[in-house]
Amino acid sequence: MNRILSSTHLLSRRAPVLLTDHIPLLHSLRSSIPFSSLPSSVGRVGTSTQFPDEYPGQIYAFNWCLNGDGVTPTKKSAFRIVKPLDLQVAGLKKPKSNPLVVTTSSQNSIPEAGSESLPFESFDSTSLRVKEYLSLSDHLYCPEGDVPKTRIGCRVISNSAALAPDLLAYLERAPRKEPPVSLPVTVYVYEGDVDNEFSGYAIEVVELDEGDGDIERTVGSVVVSAKNPDIATVVRGIELCAEGIKADEDERAAGGEESE
């Protein structure tokens, strides 16, 4: 199995961009509106927040997390989906079956980046293009949970309203982390007209700064782009990533025991 050793912090989050040039204008506008002119039905509840224009689909902390995953929700409509109720908030239908068991076979083969059938260059270029398509999509649906029978976290970033509910039902429910962070497996699924349909996955070894120095971690990514993405192909990519991550973890654990 091929591996990519990277020195970049794949799981990092971007800092917000502050529009400081507009602060004087905002202050002047606020001061020009007397509170006495507001209707009596309007009152302050709780304390003011730094981001008053957040709403379902436009949550800054989650948007920054998606930025770290390589996708920027330009249409301000990205839904984090961790439980069935989140499907309703996103305007999606519930899956027909929950939990959903997806059976994969050899017909759902998906190549690994670095293999003879999928050079690294092809995977990287297609991955960037798919992320651009997703960034420009009207809506993003992002189911997340654990890969079944593991404790390996997985996030799907997709514009497919049809596929998202089933992928949530496939993943095992995991505790919701706040603020959101990038997960070991990230899946990019674009549904739409494309010149060439694509599916592939990659496993990377990255270095994370966890306070006590850099620590190696293995992460995986799956990229699928098609007019009608097949859930079995997506799931097969998730399974292969989880297998690669677990194999590396077991190898590191065995190496640690030998060094002791």
Side-chain angles (χ1 to χ4, degrees):
M1 184 172 293
N2 300 282
R3 296 290 184 269
I4 309 170
L5 182 59
S6 171
S7 60
T8 59
H9 294 266
L10 185 63
L11 307 187
S12 62
R13 297 169 56 201
R14 289 187 181 179
V17 177
L18 300 178
L19 304 181
T20 54
D21 293 340
H22 298 284
I23 290 177
L25 177 60
L26 291 174
H27 280 299
S28 63
L29 288 174
R30 290 170 182 168
S31 60
S32 64
I33 304 175
F35 287 104
S36 59
S37 65
L38 297 177
S40 58
S41 60
V42 177
R44 181 182 294 275
V45 179
T47 58
S48 61
T49 62
Q50 187 177 358
F51 309 114
D53 55 345
E54 287 189 341
Y55 50 84
Q58 170 70 348
I59 304 298
Y60 288 117
F62 186 56
N63 288 352
W64 292 336
C65 185
L66 292 181
N67 285 338
D69 290 334
V71 176
T72 301
T74 59
K75 300 301 178 66
K76 300 181 179 181
S77 182
F79 295 91
R80 185 185 185 195
I81 304 172
V82 299
K83 58 183 184 296
L85 180 60
D86 294 332
L87 292 171
Q88 183 178 348
V89 173
L92 301 178
K93 297 180 179 179
K94 293 183 178 180
K96 295 180 180 179
S97 176
N98 192 2
L100 178 65
V101 177
V102 180
T103 303
T104 60
S105 66
S106 58
Q107 295 180 348
N108 309 119
S109 62
I110 178 170
E112 182 181 1
S115 62
E116 291 184 3
S117 60
L118 182 58
F120 289 126
E121 294 77 9
S122 297
F123 179 85
D124 291 341
S125 60
T126 303
S127 178
L128 287 174
R129 186 163 62 250
V130 168
K131 291 175 183 178
E132 290 175 358
Y133 290 157
L134 291 172
S135 295
L136 297 173
S137 297
D138 289 337
H139 307 286
L140 293 176
Y141 306 106
C142 307
E144 62 182 64
D146 287 340
V147 179
K149 300 180 181 179
T150 76
R151 286 295 177 262
I152 299 174
C154 174
R155 172 177 294 124
V156 180
I157 305 173
S158 178
N159 66 329
S160 175
L163 205 58
D166 287 339
L167 286 171
L168 177 68
Y170 160 74
L171 295 170
E172 292 183 354
R173 188 167 176 179
R176 185 187 187 102
K177 295 181 179 179
E178 295 293 352
V181 297
S182 294
L183 299 177
V185 179
T186 308
V187 184
Y188 306 88
V189 182
Y190 177 74
E191 179 185 81
D193 294 327
V194 293
D195 295 334
N196 297 295
E197 295 191 350
F198 176 88
S199 62
Y201 77 100
I203 296 176
E204 301 175 309
V205 178
V206 299
E207 292 183 345
L208 302 178
D209 185 0
E210 298 188 355
D212 298 329
D214 292 338
I215 298 178
E216 283 191 0
R217 288 286 183 267
T218 301
V219 298
S221 59
V222 181
V223 178
V224 176
S225 177
K227 185 174 182 179
N228 295 297
D230 178 30
I231 188 172
T233 300
V234 176
V235 167
R236 185 56 184 149
I238 294 173
E239 291 173 344
L240 290 169
C241 284
E243 290 173 8
I245 291 172
K246 186 177 185 305
D248 279 6
E249 289 177 347
D250 291 344
E251 184 178 342
R252 291 191 190 99
E257 292 175 358
E258 291 177 1
S259 62
E260 293 177 358

